[in-house]
Amino acid sequence: MSSLDPSQSSTDDPLDFGVGARITISVMSSDYINIILGALSKVPKSDLLIETGDVSTYIQGPESSILTYLTDLSSLIASSPTHSSIIIHLFRGCPGSTSCAKPGPRNSPNPTGRKTNQFVTAEWALYPLSDGQDGGDHMKEIYEAIDFAKEGGAYKGSKGSVTRLEGDLGVVLECVVRGWVGVGRKVQHVTSHLTISVNSPSHAGRVIEG
Amino acid sequence: MSSLDPSQSSTDDPLDFGVGARITISVMSSDYINIILGALSKVPKSDLLIETGDVSTYIQGPESSILTYLTDLSSLIASSPTHSSIIIHLFRGCPGSTSCAKPGPRNSPNPTGRKTNQFVTAEWALYPLSDGQDGGDHMKEIYEAIDFAKEGGAYKGSKGSVTRLEGDLGVVLECVVRGWVGVGRKVQHVTSHLTISVNSPSHAGRVIEG
């Protein structure tokens, strides 16, 4: 058993549940190394375990800390202000398997994000796995995630296996992390993939309203 | 019903099965627009429907044509020779749902790739959905996909919800597309996500052996 906080019981420990995220940042500038490493060095790690690799940065810890970290890091990249893509992969459960010794569904509170006032467009997929043993009622949580995206104004329809999100970077991230946490209350193994485009020349000068 | 080839029956038509892919290319150079649009304009579209968006390019058609297109496009980007990330999302079935009117499992032949002699590193996830109605025997196909990656020399272990692949760009793509097609023979809804890093400064001068 691993532990990030001695006060947590083993069943609360996010590492026991396989809670984690991966982020891949691509900055479309020849100065990409300085921009990416500069942002990574500035963001507080909080109670997270962070391992930077050549394909992605691997993050482990509580869902609320993951949302804060992803928001802080993505916001720094978006303020660069170079066109960049940010790829986020959220997961919990057993990599490569739908049956393992990890605990079952996890009751995490909904994490709260923060607005960054940076306009982004994004494509989102949310996958509940292990349907068989969980009764297949996960669609309720998916619809709740989509409803939350609609309430926040980020939802822009679904097409070709993804849901399109647009709007404030922080609102998009909160919506996606909440959807992942919500489905995780019903199924053991849940993953989500998000592709974010920031500072796209297709949306030059676009600002957040409201 | 849509049709790409009049000789195909409705149950063979990849569009009836929701077969598709998305690709997001990020070139880490201020000349990224010319490099990406130049590559997109040079690759033959074959019998594919292709729609370029601000987050990804959406590709629909037969699996073998999708593999050829992804290989040709990624290889052109890798020859640029700028450091780039290539994000690929493969899917078939119903976007946003695990129960819909689409046909069930699809018997597609294994598509064949081609070596490009370009070294890449990558992280791969493969998701069979709709376990409940399919008896949950999809793990056999996942293990077959991993065995195929091992035989081709691309498999480098699993960690944090992804399988790491390394080696020839074309071999990595063939392995991932074959895994997706293989799982699709057992389950209606299957998706796969791949993050590829090309021309990484972490692997400067690395060449393909053999």
Side-chain angles (χ1 to χ4, degrees), chain B residues 9 33 58 73-74 88 115 120 128 133 140 142 158 163 207:
Chain B
S9 74
I33 293 178
Y58 178 30
L73 180 56
S74 301
I88 293 171
K115 290 191 174 181
V120 301
Q133 67 201 60
K140 176 174 170 287
I142 289 186
S158 293
T163 293
V207 294

Side-chain angles (χ1 to χ4, degrees), chain B residues 75-99:
Chain B
S75 180
L76 270 176
I77 293 296
S79 66
S80 74
T82 311
H83 178 35
S84 305
S85 70
I86 300 170
I87 312 301
I88 293 171
H89 175 187
L90 305 170
F91 45 88
R92 75 167 217 74
C94 325
S97 172
T98 56
S99 60

